[in-house]
Amino acid sequence: MGWMHTARFLTTAAQLHHLPALAVPEIAFVGRSNAGKSTCINTLTQHKQLAFASKKPGRTQHINLFQLGRGNVMDAVLADLPGYGYAAVPQQDKIRWQRVMANYLVTRENLVGAVLLCDPRLGLTELDEVLLEVIRPRVEEGLKFLVLLTKADKLTCAEQAKALSIARLQAGGGEARLFSALKRQGVDEAAQLLWQWTHPAADTTPTDSP
């Protein structure tokens, strides 16, 4: 998906009011720390270090925006939200970021979709369920939602089928798909879906040519 490969850094923000007001569609990537969120974004965009993955959670407690579009034309934005649930983060920081993320998901006007990254070996955790409850009203109003089961290569075919079936039941009006950066399982399908979310009126799909 050549369109995804146009991704480039736009800005970073520690607070919601630091985010620029944008008119183009925005898709948020959320999930627990170590769920493979950064790897997923980097794989979809074919940029090895676009989304920063660090074992030091304090370095990733920002909302990072990446713009998409050919040339100088921005037609969509990806928002990389901080991973949550990391045990080493002080409780007060956890609470602060839970509020920031919840407010972002509820109030961001140009948000058209959200991708929840989940390690299928662990399933949806309590924090994932809290996030689902936060965005459920917006999903009911039309917000696109996808549970992406990362690291699918670590499961057998039978385990993949079971995890996918469970995730579809828990998605609450959204979709669920398998994804493996290592095996490139589900990469093209996920990229195609994000294109459709941000270009609902387009009659054709993007190509790899400029």
Side-chain angles (χ1 to χ4, degrees), residues 10-23:
L10 177 60
T11 190
T12 185
Q15 297 291 341
L16 291 183
H17 64 271
H18 293 155
L19 288 174
L22 299 171

Side-chain angles (χ1 to χ4, degrees), residues 3-205:
W3 173 72
M4 289 293 294
H5 305 163
T6 66
R8 52 204 182 275
F9 178 77
L10 177 60
T11 190
T12 185
Q15 297 291 341
L16 291 183
H17 64 271
H18 293 155
L19 288 174
L22 299 171
V24 298
E26 190 162 301
I27 297 174
F29 284 74
V30 298
R32 279 182 59 87
S33 300
N34 302 325
K37 180 165 56 66
S38 296
T39 299
C40 175
I41 294 174
N42 291 337
T43 299
L44 287 169
T45 60
Q46 286 198 353
H47 288 275
K48 291 183 178 180
Q49 294 183 328
L50 183 68
F52 184 71
S54 173
K55 293 182 179 180
K56 297 179 179 179
R59 296 182 65 182
T60 56
Q61 296 301 293
H62 289 74
I63 296 175
N64 296 313
L65 299 185
F66 309 109
Q67 67 181 67
L68 294 166
R70 301 288 185 184
N72 294 321
V73 178
M74 178 172 62
D75 63 2
V77 169
L78 303 181
D80 181 14
L81 274 62
Y84 48 83
Y86 198 91
V89 176
Q91 183 64 22
Q92 61 187 30
D93 289 340
K94 289 182 183 180
I95 294 174
R96 179 177 70 87
W97 266 106
Q98 286 172 10
R99 289 174 178 167
V100 170
M101 290 172 62
N103 287 338
Y104 166 88
L105 292 168
V106 169
T107 64
R108 187 67 169 164
E109 292 185 1
N110 64 320
L111 186 68
V112 299
V115 181
L116 171 61
L117 287 298
C118 173
D119 186 334
R121 296 170 298 176
L122 302 175
L124 293 182
T125 66
E126 183 178 350
L127 288 174
D128 293 325
E129 295 287 354
V130 170
L131 183 140
L132 285 173
E133 287 302 314
V134 168
I135 69 169
R136 192 178 305 279
R138 289 200 70 171
V139 173
E140 292 174 350
E141 294 173 358
L143 181 76
K144 303 297 185 181
F145 180 64
L146 171 66
V147 177
L148 207 56
L149 301 176
T150 60
K151 308 177 185 180
D153 55 279
K154 298 184 182 297
L155 303 179
T156 66
C157 290
E159 289 170 339
Q160 287 184 9
K162 180 179 179 181
L164 188 59
S165 178
I166 293 173
R168 283 172 173 163
L169 291 174
Q170 296 174 316
E175 300 184 54
R177 300 195 180 191
L178 295 164
F179 187 92
S180 169
L182 181 64
K183 300 293 186 180
R184 292 197 61 81
Q185 178 181 1
V187 175
D188 290 343
E189 292 81 359
Q192 176 70 35
L193 187 62
L194 300 190
W195 164 265
Q196 293 171 353
W197 285 3
T198 52
H199 301 79
D203 294 328
T204 58
T205 57

